[in-house]
Amino acid sequence: MGKTLAEKVWDAHIVRHAEGEPDLLYIDLHLVHEVTSPQAFEGLRLAGRKVRRPDLTIATEDHNTPTVDIDQPIADLTSRTQIETLRRNCEEFGVRLHPLGDTEQGIVHVVGPQLGLTQPGLTVVCGDSHTSTHGAFGALAFGIGTSEVEHVLATQTLPLRPFKTMAINVDGELRPGSTAKDIILAVIAKIGTGGGQGYVLEYRGEAIRALSMEARMTICNMSIEAGARAGMIAPDETTFAYINGRPNAPQGKEWDAALEYWKTLRTDDDAEFDAEVSIDASELEPFVTWGTNPGQGLPLSSTVPDPESFTDEGARVAAERALKYMALTPGTPLREIAVDTVFIGSCTNGRIEDLRAAAAVVRGRRKAENVRVLVVPGSHRVRMQAEKEGLDTIFTEFGAEWRHAGCSMCLGMNPDQLAPGERSASTSNRNFEGRQGKGGRTHLVSPLVAAATGVRGTLSSPADLDLAAN
Amino acid sequence: MEKIIRHTGVGVPLRRSNVDTDQIIPAVYLKRVTRTGFEDALFAAWRGDETFILNQPAYRSGSVLVAGSDFGTGSSREHAVWALKDYGFKVILSSRFADIFRGNSGKQGLLTGQLSQDDIELIWEVLENQPGTEVTVDLEQREVRCADIVAGMEVDDYTRWRLMEGLDDIGLTYRHIDAIDDYEASRPSHKPRTLA
Ligand code: SF4
């Protein structure tokens, strides 16, 4: 029997296999940031160990970094300590670091692909659950805990038990106005936030093949919101073209050798998945979440659901609780929900294509009066590119705040937070209670919906704007 | 990692079940960047209460925590194990542990021994009637001894072996360093590097 993509990559990384024991898996790329690494480095220091492969390790500052006044000392003490600790650790252990202010600084999951470090067939880990992003290149990429970070730093390996595999078939063609974000929100709404537990998801089908690399990253990024360990997409010409010429991409003969290998990285026709799910992309409308987990989402044309309509007792209780927190009344059209803040950014939707898409919607318009619009590029490079294209001007003329790169309001570890009771339309990945600030209420949306919402002040899609203009 | 074959120390009776990791160490302490020095964070919410067991002089030097069932449930934070170890605990005894907590403990050299609830009750009685009584935890014999109580203790073979050998996860992987060297020798040269 043939093998799935995930199995091929797994098998190619087995350092040691013994009956009844976890496989020892080799790690090709280890991404590090300031929040989950301090204790790992200290563990090494306490045991007198060193980093085995600094040349397969790279660090950046993202979770705590401010997005304004980045040349000033960081005001929050905890944030400053974490950042300073990372700098000391990288220096001491010889790890490449892109600190705040550096051209290559940014959200760890934006930086890896942008440098060309993320490549097909790699194993990629990071002390961060959204490491699944890198699976868009056909890499096996997953988040790990702090003691695993230490383990990888020390040995460049991890003892792991194999995952199960699930195919997510997305056929049909996306309608204008619907995007990768809507595909993944629809997938999560369909299989639930626990539906992917124990699985590596492989996204397949013509709708996936038609997506750009950045859109594929948006999809793989949120695999974790479906409970999965990782998400993957088989590499193809789109992938190769994206990598070619980037700073850390292979060159010359190495490129040819790499390409030959990468082309073998697809699920064999006779391979079997442990589970399969299908979605028709041509039926998808822009999706928004109404609740407090990413599975509580609906097409924008729907109304806030009535908890009583859920047959499953658990889902009903969860919906009741979510609506209370979100201060929403069943039956309200989603389009009538007014927001205070629009956040465009994060490792889900903070790349250049996302900013272009949002800018195209807001160009020449003014934001709704009572809405604050925050545009936070995923990396410093994305920011520079956007400025080259004049997107920053479009955003500022629209009335948005043009910020520096980082995780920002995705999790509010820096000062970019929602105030209690404030409501946002956010292009990030988690709408948990308090995620964007204590008492904050989050609706997850695509960049197109975020931008249109900024124009109208209520949850909207670009189509709503055209209608209004007519 | 320190080897554990046998440990004798003052037993601390914690008559509570379902002690979750948030109670072992509240979330505010997760912001720290150190790996040691969490002793003050252990059971922080309860430490303000004078009558709390760890605030009683006879138990202060305790190293064997005898807890109620379902110890270590909740979030998977590894800090819970660090806090218990930093305080000075070498062994936690309970009739049932949360899986992740148990896994984290084994990896970091904190022994979690499973006893029957009846034996836990008997030991609690001794420790409460004669504060400061020592408990001997014999990993080799899989046995707990306290006053005249001799209780069987359940520990899985793999964890027992690791603790007796003093092997943490990394130490264990270092045993296969040759396999890692071999693997690296055959890694394709087109794989990316972060350093020039
Ligand atoms: S942008 Fe959000 S999800 Fe992504 S790494 Fe940062 S905090 Fe995590």
Side-chain angles (χ1 to χ4, degrees):
Chain A
M1 196 179 74
K3 289 191 208 174
T4 62
L5 168 61
E7 288 160 351
K8 285 184 185 178
V9 179
W10 180 282
D11 289 353
H13 290 83
I14 297 176
V15 170
R16 180 176 173 274
H17 173 84
E19 237 9 82
E21 288 182 43
D23 284 347
L24 192 61
L25 224 60
Y26 198 81
I27 303 302
D28 288 316
L29 181 62
H30 186 188
L31 309 164
V32 174
H33 64 83
E34 77 275 12
V35 179
T36 49
S37 67
Q39 278 99 359
F41 281 112
E42 193 180 335
L44 291 185
R45 204 175 290 122
L46 290 172
R49 291 167 176 155
K50 36 179 209 144
V51 175
R52 180 178 174 91
R53 295 295 300 265
D55 62 332
L56 304 183
T57 312
I58 187 168
T60 177
E61 300 168 356
D62 54 9
H63 284 66
N64 282 282
T65 52
T67 54
V68 285
D69 302 330
I70 60 167
D71 47 349
Q72 304 290 313
I74 299 176
D76 181 82
L77 259 188
T78 311
S79 295
R80 199 196 306 171
T81 310
Q82 290 195 344
I83 297 234
E84 284 171 357
T85 307
L86 179 69
R87 290 180 188 173
R88 261 200 318 276
N89 285 330
C90 286
E91 165 96 42
E92 178 182 341
F93 290 93
V95 171
R96 170 174 163 189
L97 168 70
H98 295 295
L100 189 58
D102 185 273
T103 316
E104 303 299 345
Q105 177 267 341
I107 306 172
V108 68
H109 310 307
V110 177
V111 169
Q114 177 180 284
L115 285 169
L117 281 167
T118 304
Q119 295 173 14
L122 301 185
T123 44
V124 182
V125 298
C126 175
D128 188 281
S129 52
H130 291 96
T131 310
S132 57
T133 312
H134 307 265
F137 290 79
L140 182 60
F142 49 91
I144 56 179
T146 295
S147 58
E148 290 173 305
V149 170
E150 183 181 342
H151 196 281
V152 176
L153 287 173
T155 69
Q156 205 57 37
T157 63
L158 266 186
L160 288 169
R161 302 212 179 259
F163 314 128
K164 288 180 289 182
T165 56
M166 185 188 293
I168 310 275
N169 303 309
V170 191
D171 287 310
E173 199 180 326
L174 276 177
R175 289 192 252 169
S178 298
T179 65
K181 184 67 165 275
D182 306 309
I183 294 182
I184 188 62
L185 285 175
V187 168
I188 299 166
K190 177 159 181 158
I191 70 175
T193 51
Q197 212 139 42
Y199 289 96
V200 173
L201 312 182
E202 185 185 330
Y203 303 95
R204 304 153 58 80
E206 58 175 305
I208 301 293
R209 294 262 74 89
L211 294 174
S212 71
M213 276 323 289
E214 299 198 351
R216 292 179 189 184
M217 284 188 245
T218 300
I219 293 199
C220 287
N221 173 275
M222 290 190 72
S223 304
I224 191 78
E225 271 65 51
R229 198 63 202 276
M232 294 178 96
I233 293 172
D236 58 13
E237 292 304 327
T238 305
T239 321
F240 311 146
Y242 182 93
I243 299 170
N244 198 359
R246 293 190 179 262
N248 286 87
Q251 289 171 1
K253 277 210 186 80
E254 298 289 18
W255 171 262
D256 298 337
L259 201 61
E260 194 181 326
Y261 171 56
W262 295 348
K263 286 183 173 164
T264 66
L265 294 171
R266 47 180 295 277
T267 293
D268 295 326
D269 293 338
D270 56 343
E272 271 176 34
F273 289 93
D274 297 306
E276 289 208 43
V277 171
S278 291
I279 283 219
D280 185 352
S282 62
E283 286 176 3
L284 292 181
E285 279 180 57
F287 242 72
V288 302
T289 61
W290 49 267
T292 51
N293 78 53
Q296 291 172 323
L298 280 171
L300 183 57
S301 57
S302 324
T303 56
V304 174
D306 185 348
E308 295 306 326
S309 67
F310 291 90
T311 43
D312 178 77
E313 168 76 9
R316 189 172 57 74
V317 174
E320 261 167 24
R321 198 194 141 108
L323 291 189
K324 185 148 178 266
Y325 181 84
M326 295 294 287
L328 292 174
T329 317
T332 311
L334 294 175
R335 276 200 168 85
E336 283 174 17
I337 298 174
V339 305
D340 307 288
T341 296
V342 169
F343 171 65
I344 300 175
S346 88
C347 60
T348 314
N349 283 124
R351 283 169 290 265
I352 190 68
E353 288 180 9
D354 301 313
L355 301 192
R356 283 181 194 140
V361 174
V362 306
R363 182 193 300 267
R365 301 182 196 261
R366 266 310 280 186
K367 71 173 180 66
E369 212 150 284
N370 298 321
V371 180
R372 159 172 74 147
V373 182
L374 223 61
V375 186
V376 185
S379 73
H380 193 70
R381 260 205 195 279
V382 169
R383 182 180 150 99
M384 292 190 327
Q385 179 62 33
E387 290 182 351
K388 210 166 108 190
E389 298 176 18
L391 306 186
D392 57 323
T393 317
I394 295 174
F395 285 123
T396 44
E397 283 176 2
F398 174 62
E401 299 172 41
W402 177 244
R403 297 296 189 89
H404 285 275
C407 296
S408 179
M409 198 185 267
C410 175
L411 87 168
M413 251 180 129
N414 75 352
D416 307 338
Q417 296 179 5
L418 292 181
E422 269 190 339
R423 185 183 299 282
S424 77
S426 175
T427 65
S428 57
N429 47 45
R430 285 185 173 157
N431 52 346
F432 300 157
E433 291 185 14
R435 166 84 173 180
Q436 296 189 296
K438 203 166 179 220
R441 300 169 177 142
T442 304
H443 296 274
L444 299 177
V445 298
S446 73
L448 290 179
V449 171
T453 302
V455 177
R456 296 215 323 162
T458 58
L459 295 176
S460 311
S461 75
D464 299 325
L465 305 183
D466 296 343
L467 291 179
N470 294 341
Chain B
M1 207 167 92
E2 224 175 297
K3 291 185 187 184
I4 309 179
I5 294 169
R6 212 164 286 107
H7 173 79
T8 301
V10 170
V12 179
L14 184 68
R15 262 191 199 268
R16 300 186 193 226
S17 58
N18 281 298
V19 174
D20 63 44
T21 51
D22 233 309
Q23 291 166 318
I24 299 175
I25 179 167
V28 290
Y29 293 96
L30 307 188
K31 288 187 167 187
R32 292 187 180 174
V33 294
T34 52
R35 177 142 195 178
T36 53
F38 284 97
E39 53 274 10
D40 58 323
L42 180 68
F43 301 129
W46 301 335
R47 292 280 275 283
D49 171 4
E50 262 165 57
T51 61
F52 180 58
I53 197 84
L54 289 185
N55 290 335
Q56 300 175 29
Y59 300 111
R60 205 154 273 167
S61 64
S63 62
V64 179
L65 186 67
V66 188
S69 64
D70 295 301
F71 190 83
T73 51
S75 108
S76 64
R77 62 188 67 156
E78 295 164 273
H79 301 66
V81 179
W82 301 338
L84 286 160
K85 280 180 65 182
D86 288 349
Y87 182 88
F89 284 111
K90 305 273 189 231
V91 184
I92 317 292
L93 301 175
S94 169
S95 62
R96 198 160 59 210
F97 291 93
D99 277 346
I100 298 183
F101 174 81
R102 213 168 186 197
N104 286 345
S105 299
K107 286 180 187 178
Q108 295 178 48
L110 180 69
L111 169 56
T112 51
Q114 200 168 320
L115 268 55
S116 71
Q117 189 58 33
D118 289 348
D119 285 332
I120 294 276
E121 304 272 354
L122 289 176
I123 296 173
W124 274 345
E125 235 164 81
V126 172
L127 296 180
E128 282 165 354
N129 292 335
Q130 299 145 351
T133 303
E134 292 197 329
V135 178
T136 294
V137 180
D138 192 329
L139 186 54
E140 195 170 26
Q141 301 294 326
R142 297 177 199 258
E143 210 172 77
V144 174
R145 300 185 286 274
C146 175
D148 51 8
I149 303 164
V150 178
M153 173 176 72
E154 240 179 78
V155 190
D156 71 271
D157 288 341
Y158 183 63
T159 307
R160 172 172 174 267
W161 169 75
R162 287 175 54 148
L163 291 171
M164 289 181 66
E165 295 284 324
L167 286 171
D168 62 6
D169 255 4
I170 296 175
L172 209 63
T173 298
Y174 276 153
R175 297 194 148 197
H176 307 301
I177 206 82
D178 292 347
I180 301 177
D181 288 341
D182 287 350
Y183 183 90
E184 283 181 338
S186 63
R187 272 180 92 232
S189 56
H190 62 71
K191 297 257 184 175
R193 283 168 195 256
T194 57
L195 300 174

